[in-house]
Amino acid sequence: MLTRRKTFFVAGGVTICTNFDASLAHSKELIMDIKRSGSQPSRKGSAEWFTGSVRIDPLFPGPGNQLAWGPGSVTFEPGARTAWHTHPLGQTLLITSGVGWVQREGEAIEEVRAGDVVWFPPGLKHWHGATPTTAMTHIAVQEIDRRQRNVDWMEKVSEDQYRN
């Protein structure tokens, strides 16, 4: 009998949930997996979804049984930012370096710094990125919904929206 158990990992105020096959818990076939730094290639953020220079470094790929989309470390060079977007199940950002901005639709831009954690609830239209003069890096974690989606991209943030 196959027993699945949800396992929750908490790091930096973020809970990551995985499905765990309990029947393998005592198997000698379980192998620890280390993803070495630099073993996964960086990629540029798509010009369709980002303005400016953005680098995405995958932290680990989802093995297929995770509910969280493989978290990535995203670096925004000064002036770079996402397009407006929402997440069907929400998003958590852990700011790891630099100074950045976040904004939810209809509200003022807010500054975020290394050590800050930002939670965007499901369906909240928002954007995030670097300030005009300082780069910012964050780890982004978002869950995948039943339709295998984790983000809905919208229009780009205009220069006027970004500067105000």
Side-chain angles (χ1 to χ4, degrees), residues 49-126:
W49 304 328
F50 297 95
T51 298
S53 180
V54 176
R55 185 184 77 237
I56 302 169
D57 292 297
L59 297 176
F60 59 85
N65 65 351
Q66 290 182 273
L67 299 177
W69 173 77
S73 177
V74 184
T75 300
F76 298 84
E77 292 300 320
R81 57 197 178 268
T82 68
W84 288 100
H85 60 286
T86 64
H87 297 275
L89 298 176
Q91 180 184 47
T92 300
L93 303 179
L94 292 85
I95 314 303
T96 58
S97 68
V99 179
W101 287 345
V102 297
Q103 184 180 25
R104 56 187 177 167
E105 186 177 40
E107 300 292 330
I109 292 171
E110 295 190 47
E111 186 177 277
V112 291
R113 297 179 167 273
D116 291 348
V117 177
V118 181
W119 162 246
F120 298 105
L124 179 69
K125 186 175 178 180
H126 68 280

Side-chain angles (χ1 to χ4, degrees), residues 3-9 15-23 65-68 89 143-144 146:
T3 305
R4 292 213 176 265
R5 176 183 312 147
K6 286 191 177 185
T7 305
F8 295 89
F9 301 93
T15 302
I16 299 173
C17 174
T18 64
N19 290 325
F20 175 72
D21 183 345
S23 68
N65 65 351
Q66 290 182 273
L67 299 177
L89 298 176
E143 292 182 83
I144 298 171
R146 289 186 180 126

